[in-house]
Amino acid sequence: MAATGDEISIAADHIPLLKDDAMTGSLDFKGRPSLRSKSGCWKSASFIIVIIYINCYIYISIGIGVAERLAYYGISLNLLSYLTGQLGQPTATAVSLLNAWYGTASLLPIVGAFVADSFSGRFRMIIMSSLVYITGLGFMTLSASLNSFNSCKSASHNTTSCSPPHLHIIFFFCSLYLVALAQGGYAPCVQAFGADQFDEEHKIEFEAKSSFFNWWYCFSVGGMVPLLFITYIQENVSWELGFGIPAIIMCFALILFLSGTTTYRFRINDDGRNPFIRINRVFVESIRNWRAKPISLEEEGHQIMPHTQDTQFKFLDKALLAQNGSMGDENICSASDVEDAKAILKLGPIWFAALGYAIIYAQPSTLFTKQAATIDRHITPTFQIPAASLQQCFITVSIMVCVPMYDRIFVPVARAITKKPSGISIFQRIGIGLFVSLTSMVFAALVERKRLAIAMEYGLVDMPKAIVPMSVWWIAPQYVLSGIADVFAMVGLQEFFYDQVPFDLKSIGLALYCSIIGIGNLLSSLLVTTIQKATSGNGEDGWFSDNLNRGHLDYFYWVLAGISVCGFAAFICFTTTSSYGRRISR
């Protein structure tokens, strides 16, 4: 079975309906040409979306969120509580550890995508990563069980008077990073494999693929809803049970994924060349020929694709030349290789501009959660929402409401006006998301300033465990705005990085998207650590004091808002001055 994860590129602006049931460029699980009527599209993608729903349930249960919303997606909900409670870590340290781990987990997909696109194929990588996932989850359950015997644990379930033995902490983080390693192979492949099931040369399937990204994100985030019960189990019953249940569910997810094998389409690489070697050779040859004087390729009688005439990264055109300035050997680099190399480099500016959004994306599970823990979260006189569950209640609900409205109402109306299959361009969608994300951070800063004022008014500044008499509805809008921003920016970035990379590097495209979230988390961790060191000492608690009533999260939120403004301005500049592929306008 040649499941290399390669895709077929779009050949023309107009995408005709294909009458032949047999598909070119795709094989079934027995290595035969795929039949459109029996494979792919929603009949296959539905299996994979259900798997993601289940796995999102797993990820967040153990403190992972996969941004699938990564992948694999996510944001940790309760891991911060585990670090500050069961493992006895200070708030600033726990936030930094969490962001560093999640950042690493979001960068590892680049390695996993390299292995999948070059060697194993996406299907096999998903299976291998699932097995590693189950192992990591099992070790986390064992770690929580060992920690439950810690003799220095206080009577409170959520706090400790001292840290557990260092060996327990080391074992826990080894288990956690084993999960990150598994996600490195899982995250870039599972969504790309799902998108593989849609034929871009078929008009109906091409339009359905855009909806696939919307519903993918909706279902993955929808997996947060049952986590209200998992969060309750973790905080009120036992952490080992809260970690153990996801391990069992992951086993079921693997079985369910395998059950859809007969319906899957496996894309094949037509020329058989390793995509990384093919692209890297363009950079090597262009550097080797940097002194060669470019010639008019048309004069040599060669036809070159329009993208190679782009003034951006024109130095890569020298990869087509021999060192004497004449046309090089056709076996070295082709015009399509140069075009693909340019397409990859053009992702860089958008990747950079989205970092501000990625830093803000890291806040709901960390500082938003700590902020929410200090206010009145009662919905009824007898029921109080756990702070870690606010993300599920507000962000999840806003996403699950907005995605159907976007896909079933907004897109058809916009499509009728703009005549584009996606309604609005990918850049327009991402830009709206970046702006809404900026708005959420401004709102968060204003709400935190209000919370500090109320704490001072009621004399609670030196009472860190006291509940500030402030309704949870004050903090709800910043969560809702974060969810709306994700519907536009997160899904838009996923589709952009999938569509714009060469056809045989789709996993790498989604891995690059994951790396945005990863670097954003690492930058958030660096910012928190640096600012805390700069603002603490000499009797000062710092902005991230364990007593939030003496901290200044509002100042940090304003810093993030400023970073977001810079990122948004850079995004506008890059998208208006650079040229991108035809799919941007669709």
Side-chain angles (χ1 to χ4, degrees), residues 54 71 201 357:
I54 293 172
E201 293 186 350
Y357 163 76

Side-chain angles (χ1 to χ4, degrees), residues 82-102:
Y82 189 79
L83 294 178
T84 57
Q86 303 300 106
L87 298 187
Q89 302 297 310
T91 299
T93 301
V95 170
S96 297
L97 288 172
L98 178 57
N99 285 333
W101 167 77
Y102 184 68

Side-chain angles (χ1 to χ4, degrees), residues 38-74:
K38 296 182 179 181
S39 68
C41 207
W42 288 111
K43 64 176 66 69
S44 297
S46 58
F47 274 100
I48 302 169
I49 287 181
V50 171
I51 293 300
I52 295 309
Y53 183 92
I54 293 172
N55 280 291
C56 189
Y57 186 91
I58 292 169
Y59 293 144
I60 304 174
S61 296
I62 64 171
I64 300 179
V66 189
E68 300 89 317
R69 307 187 285 182
L70 273 142
Y72 208 139
Y73 279 139

Side-chain angles (χ1 to χ4, degrees), residues 120-199:
S120 67
R122 292 163 197 161
F123 180 75
R124 294 188 184 96
M125 178 59 72
I126 292 171
I127 295 174
M128 292 186 294
S129 298
S130 297
L131 294 175
V132 177
Y133 235 124
I134 294 170
T135 303
L137 291 169
F139 284 166
M140 289 188 67
T141 304
L142 178 59
S143 174
S145 299
L146 294 174
N147 191 50
S148 66
F149 295 103
N150 180 19
S151 59
C152 70
K153 187 168 62 174
S154 66
S156 173
H157 184 78
N158 295 319
T159 60
T160 57
S161 57
C162 64
S163 297
H166 288 295
L167 186 60
H168 289 184
I169 297 177
I170 293 173
F171 182 68
F172 173 79
F173 277 100
C174 286
S175 305
L176 196 61
Y177 275 89
L178 186 61
V179 171
L181 179 63
Q183 185 194 343
Y186 196 93
C189 295
V190 68
Q191 188 176 12
F193 188 70
D196 288 350
Q197 308 309 309
F198 296 87
D199 184 7

